[in-house]
Amino acid sequence: MSVAMPMNAKYRKTIIAGNWKMNLSPRDAREFIRELKPLAVQAKWCDIVLCVPYLQIPEAVRTARGSRIAIGAQNCHQETAGAYTGEISAPMLVEAGVKYVIVGHSERRRDFGETDSLVNRKVLSALKAGLRPIVCVGETLEMRDNDITLDVVRMQVKTALRGVTREELRRGTIAYEPGWAIGTGYTATAKQANEVSAVIRAALRTVYGAQGARGVSILYGGSMNTGNARDLLAQPDVDGGLIGGASMRTESFGKIIEAANQNVPQK
Ligand code: 13P
């Protein structure tokens, strides 16, 4: 008996992405990817991405070669080259073998003053270079308490994607990451995650139409772990995860990849 394929499996990819932030060494990256490779072979139901620190990129790309694991960066500069000490540009990442880049993570907004318009410039630069940006949006606790979450997120999405064509959007992914849930152990409920993701999709629809919007994967991030992943990933508008803490051990990351399996049709 065949089971009807859920909407999200039909129109968009499930993506399980790890964000190691400023953790783990190049050697750790090599060992981690070696361990993850056998699992990745089986996990055809989702794309697997590891966003590692810049220095770990060469080792990660080398080790992941020939596997289904794509390597991502955690940031890029908005310009392609120039006098920007300490920065890395999108074309440099492409040359190093990087496929994805996180843009506008809440830690960069909070700690490095990244604004929506700067995030927009980074998104455009990443797309131009051929990368797949994972655009992070989300509210702080104060915004949620003031009941402005949905307005804030709508605005963040629209500003971040200003000037992005419908064609380019196909390479884009949005990550909904409520700031209050990141690294805190507090997770948005599956209902909260789906509510905001649905609002993000509705915002995309107003700009790109129904067809454009339904092809964009929207990930949830914020204390996703082996205990809550199944529930979160079962939501119709949640198409994957952007995982911090639980992405640093193959055991927990592997279990989250397994949890994403529920969206494939069962024979
Ligand atoms: P945690 O999973 O550690 O809460 O981090 C989420 C995150 O910020 C991913 O980008």
Side-chain angles (χ1 to χ4, degrees), residues 30-172:
R30 185 169 64 233
E31 286 169 8
F32 183 100
I33 294 167
R34 278 186 182 156
E35 263 181 60
L36 190 65
K37 267 180 161 181
L39 180 68
V41 174
Q42 299 154 26
K44 297 228 165 61
W45 52 85
C46 66
D47 284 4
I48 301 168
V49 183
L50 279 179
C51 299
V52 302
Y54 288 137
L55 263 182
Q56 277 73 314
I57 287 171
E59 191 62 50
V61 167
R62 233 186 333 269
T63 315
R65 197 163 285 147
S67 78
R68 298 186 56 257
I69 304 164
I71 302 304
Q74 301 170 10
N75 179 35
C76 67
H77 195 268
Q78 62 276 20
E79 299 293 341
T80 53
Y84 303 102
T85 302
E87 292 293 323
I88 301 281
S89 73
M92 291 174 184
L93 294 175
V94 171
E95 202 176 322
V98 165
K99 302 282 185 235
Y100 288 80
V101 62
I102 297 173
V103 182
H105 191 279
S106 65
E107 285 151 16
R108 298 218 49 97
R109 293 176 187 259
R110 182 193 66 202
D111 302 336
F112 300 92
E114 292 196 3
T115 60
D116 286 339
S117 64
L118 180 61
V119 171
N120 174 239
R121 293 176 64 198
K122 291 187 176 206
V123 168
L124 293 173
S125 183
L127 285 168
K128 189 154 176 251
L131 291 169
R132 297 175 171 275
I134 301 174
V135 184
C136 298
V137 297
E139 80 286 6
T140 61
L141 186 57
E142 196 185 354
M143 292 167 182
R144 180 158 282 269
D145 286 345
N146 286 321
D147 217 10
I148 56 170
T149 296
L150 302 182
D151 288 336
V152 166
V153 168
R154 263 186 216 109
M155 181 60 78
Q156 287 174 333
V157 170
K158 287 194 178 172
T159 312
L161 297 181
R162 211 164 35 203
V164 172
T165 65
R166 204 165 132 174
E167 189 54 35
E168 287 171 326
L169 184 71
R170 292 152 62 113
R171 272 188 287 129

Side-chain angles (χ1 to χ4, degrees), residues 187-221:
T187 317
T189 62
K191 191 165 165 262
Q192 284 171 327
N194 196 63
E195 181 195 19
V196 182
S197 299
V199 162
I200 291 170
R201 199 171 309 285
L204 293 173
R205 211 176 290 129
T206 62
V207 183
Y208 298 99
Q211 261 193 17
R214 76 181 178 200
V216 179
S217 300
I218 301 175
L219 317 184
Y220 169 79

